[in-house]
Structure formats: C-alpha cells, structure tokens
Amino acid sequence: MITVVGTGVSAPPADVLAGAGLVVGGRRHLDAAAVPACAERVVLGPLAPALDVVERHLDKGARVVVLASGDPGFFGIVRVLAERFGAGALDVRPGVSSVAAAFARVGVPWDDAVVVSAHGRDLRTAVNVCRARGKVAVLTGPGAGPAELGAALASGGAERGGWAGAAASGLVAQFPAPLQRVLLVASALGTRDERVERVTPAEAAARDWGTAVSVVLCLDEGRVVGTARTVAGPSPAPSQWALEEGEFAHRDSMITKFEVRALALARLGPRLGDLVWDVGAGSGSVAVECARLGAAVVAVEKAADGVERIRANADAHGVDVQVVHGSAPDALAGLDDPDAVFVGGGGRELPGIVAACARRARRSVVVAMAALDRVPAVRAALTDAGFDCEGVLLQSSRLAPLPGDVTRLAATNPVFLLWGVRNPAYREGVAQ
C-alpha cells in the first residue's frame, strides 16, 4: 500500500510515518515531518523519477508514504498515483484543502464556488472563469500567480494588452472598466507565515508574491453570500436557452430570433472557461445567453443606445457581460483572442469584420445575416482563414391566433446562418 497523507494546512498523524521505508514529498513537507532515520527520502520534483523509486520500494514490499498538501485527491497527486499503481493500492488520508481553508479564513461559504487550477495549466481558462463567475478559487503556480491573474483582470486582456493598450492606440472605441472583482490572496496556509490579503487586481499585479501562494479567491463582493443551496457546486446550466425575444429589451424587433439563436448557440458551444465575442451585438441576446451557459463574454456594439440595452439585459439575467462601445474591426484590437465569435448584421463591411474575427478565433465563428449578397464573401472570409464552413437558410413560421379561435402560421424573416470550425490542419495562416 501507498499511504498518501494530506498535510500543510493540518499536520499529519504522529504515527503515520512509523515503519516507512520510503517517504516522498515536497521539501517543506519532509522538513516538517518526523521521517524515520532508516527511511529513504525523495524530494518531489519531476514526477516520473519519483514514481520509479516508489515502484522499486513496492516491489521489495516496503511501506511507502507520500506527503502532499491539503487534500491530495483535490487537484493533487492521488490522480497520478492511481493511474500508475491503481486506486486499490492507495490509502488516502486527506487533510483540509487549501481552498476550504482559504474560504474558512475569510468566513465565506464555498458550496457555490468554482475551483480552477492554473498550476501547470493555461492561465487564460482561470481568467475567463473569473470574468464569468462571482466566486472563484484559483490554485496558483509558477507563472500563473496573483500578479499574472491580477494583471489580466485589471486590464481586461490577458494576451494582447487589454483595454488600456487599445485605448492608447487611438482606436475608435470606448473600452469599459474591468469587471469589479476583489482578490483574496491566501499565502502559506497552515504555516507560521500564513496570511490572507485583500487586494484589487491592479494591486495584485504590482506585487511580487514569491512562491508560497496556495490559492487566490476572486470574488464579486456583492454576491459572495447567496441563498441556501441543496446541491453543492457552481450554478447549473440554465434549464432553458434560446429565450423568447420578450425576455430581452430590444429596438423595433432588432434582435436575433430565438430559432436562429438556438442554432447559433449550438455551433458556438459556449462553456465555462471559454471567451466569446458577440460582435454587432444589438440587444446582446446572444451575449447574454452565452454568459448564462458559463462563458466569459465581450459584446461589441457601435450604437450608444445598444450599449445601454446590452448592459440592462445582462443585469436583468444576472450575468456579467463586458461591453465595448465601438465599431468592428477596430474595436477588436485590444481584446483577448476568443474561443468563439458570433457576428450579426449585414452591412457592406460584414465580410471584413468576419475576416478579422476569423483570424483571432480559436475554435469557431458563427455569422447571421439577412442579405443573400453577403453569403459568398462571408464564406470566403471563413475558408480563407482556415475554417471548414457550413451554413443553412433558416425560415420558420410560428403559430399565431386568428379571430374565431383558429390559428395561422406567421412567417418570420429568413436568415442565413454560416458557421466555420477551425481546421486543425491549418496553422499560422498556411494550410498544412
């Protein structure tokens, strides 16, 4: 058996190391533990060599103890050990996870929190989750600590200089203030050096936090305490999407109809950790629905009254949508590259806007338009950027009442929906 002990926030049992032939752990865990003099010690660095040593001791029948931080089954070493040696070979004794400890230190319930790891992973996913949700715990790592997270949230852009960089370039756009978040940085939990500090994202970006950080809580302080819950975890996906047009404030029926929106959402595939652009957002119905499904969303709209409607619709549905008041494609320059983009409208500039979006989108672009004349150029813009393009003409008729308790079919305006999915064989603008 391999005994896996969670330590750090809480001390391991005094007798857990008795009789161990091999003790594996981080240097701080080994230094703090009463490791038997006869036991071999392995300081965790690269995992593969350490696992090889573990296997050799198991083959000899020796008792192996692995010391880990907090709950080793929570973004911890249990996964790696189970994959190598099987879950039946593990005796896991969890401690208090760093996430549970951090929320406890600040007196905030966390059954509705989202937990994301940036340790050895792409920081952009954690950033997008923090943009989309009001209660997030981020497990940090080298190059993905409070400073990097704070910089991304403070600027609004983790990859391309953010709102401030775009504004400085003289673009015709009014970039919004970043989302209002506070960071609670929990360092060295469970040690004599433990501290929890409340900072703004900008303050976090300006600090050198060293290497002792365990977890960062990113909170919308207006929403940290909600109603009692019966199911733990983040809010589930909405029970309905493709909402009726009446669920949104809009002008003169200038809104993506729910039949079109349903297919657009299916092709966009918004999910937690994604970043979605809604370009030419109008009422923001697509932006709001993507946010309801968990994505971080930026809505780009050139009309001032449209900007206010988008904000009102986002507030009405309880989601965060960042709104850029400006004209595409110029207004896109300071934004992070999106996973998916929805483009609405049908002016002469549409193919150029689609081309600009396609150059930046990681996964997919969906375009809705009423004008047949725009379809060939939009399709060419997608295929030229390395997307496999498909499309459909959507023409629906809704049930409508007539006098005399009878029903007729009322036709809606036909809409072309084109979508492109990035071809994995297409790299850096050249088909491979």
Side-chain angles (χ1 to χ4, degrees):
M1 296 290 291
I2 303 171
T3 303
V4 189
V5 183
T7 183
V9 174
S10 56
D15 61 345
V16 73
L17 297 171
L22 171 67
V23 181
V24 181
R27 187 173 300 279
R28 66 186 178 91
H29 296 141
L30 293 172
D31 290 344
V35 179
C38 60
E40 181 179 352
R41 300 161 61 115
V42 172
V43 178
L44 273 179
L47 282 176
L51 296 179
D52 291 340
V53 177
V54 169
E55 186 165 11
R56 289 198 297 270
H57 278 74
L58 291 177
D59 289 343
K60 294 186 297 184
R63 182 165 177 263
V64 176
V65 176
V66 177
L67 302 178
S69 296
D71 183 349
F74 188 72
F75 289 102
I77 199 169
V78 166
R79 184 183 304 278
V80 175
L81 293 173
E83 289 173 349
R84 177 74 174 264
F85 304 107
L90 306 182
D91 173 16
V92 181
R93 305 183 187 185
V96 177
S97 73
S98 59
V99 173
F103 276 109
R105 297 296 189 267
V106 298
V108 173
W110 67 287
D111 51 86
D112 55 345
V114 182
V115 182
V116 59
S117 177
H119 188 89
R121 296 168 172 85
D122 190 352
L123 178 63
R124 75 183 301 273
T125 298
V127 171
N128 288 334
V129 173
C130 289
R131 289 169 174 163
R133 299 296 195 195
K135 186 187 292 185
V136 181
V138 181
L139 299 174
T140 62
E148 292 83 1
L149 180 64
L153 294 172
S155 68
E159 301 162 4
R160 307 181 69 90
W163 315 115
S169 68
L171 300 177
V172 183
Q174 296 179 23
F175 290 90
L179 295 173
Q180 297 302 307
R181 297 288 188 265
V182 63
L183 301 184
L184 301 176
V185 182
S187 305
L189 288 167
T191 74
R192 289 176 295 180
D193 299 323
E194 175 184 305
R195 64 184 187 275
V196 179
E197 298 179 73
R198 181 189 185 280
V199 293
T200 66
E203 290 168 342
R207 290 269 299 273
D208 180 0
W209 294 92
T211 59
V213 172
S214 298
V215 62
V216 176
L217 308 182
C218 180
L219 305 178
D220 176 349
E221 288 191 302
R223 294 190 286 174
V224 294
V225 179
T227 57
R229 298 166 59 86
T230 56
V231 179
S235 299
S239 59
Q240 288 185 317
W241 53 94
L243 300 175
E244 296 278 356
E245 291 89 81
E247 297 286 336
F248 303 95
H250 56 90
R251 176 176 59 84
D252 299 331
S253 296
M254 298 296 291
I255 183 173
T256 303
K257 301 299 187 289
F258 71 77
E259 300 94 335
V260 178
R261 209 178 324 123
L263 183 55
L265 290 168
R267 294 296 178 258
L268 289 168
R271 59 192 173 187
L272 192 65
D274 279 354
L275 175 62
V276 178
W277 292 352
D278 183 359
V279 179
S283 67
S285 62
V286 173
V288 168
E289 295 238 41
C290 288
R292 291 177 73 240
L293 290 166
V297 183
V298 177
V300 179
E301 173 56 37
K302 64 182 180 181
D305 59 340
V307 168
E308 295 308 313
R309 270 189 291 272
I310 295 167
R311 290 173 177 157
N313 284 326
D315 288 345
H317 288 276
V319 295
D320 287 313
V321 173
Q322 288 191 282
V323 187
V324 175
H325 182 196
S327 299
D330 288 346
L332 309 176
L335 307 181
D336 284 358
D337 288 346
D339 295 281
V341 183
F342 178 77
V343 184
R348 294 178 180 176
E349 69 277 8
L350 181 62
I353 294 172
V354 171
C357 293
R359 286 192 294 269
R360 303 276 300 280
R362 292 167 171 252
R363 184 177 69 235
S364 58
V365 177
V366 178
V367 187
M369 68 201 108
L372 172 63
D373 298 339
R374 308 285 182 240
V375 173
V378 168
R379 185 180 184 190
L382 292 172
T383 55
D384 289 349
F387 287 78
D388 295 330
C389 184
E390 297 183 58
V392 66
L393 172 65
L394 294 177
Q395 190 167 7
S396 62
S397 296
R398 300 179 179 180
L399 295 176
L402 282 173
D405 197 25
V406 295
T407 303
R408 69 181 181 93
L409 289 175
T412 61
N413 291 331
V415 175
F416 292 98
L417 198 72
L418 267 60
W419 60 90
V421 177
R422 185 169 292 285
N423 189 320
Y426 193 96
R427 182 172 57 86
E428 295 179 356
V430 179
Q432 302 298 308

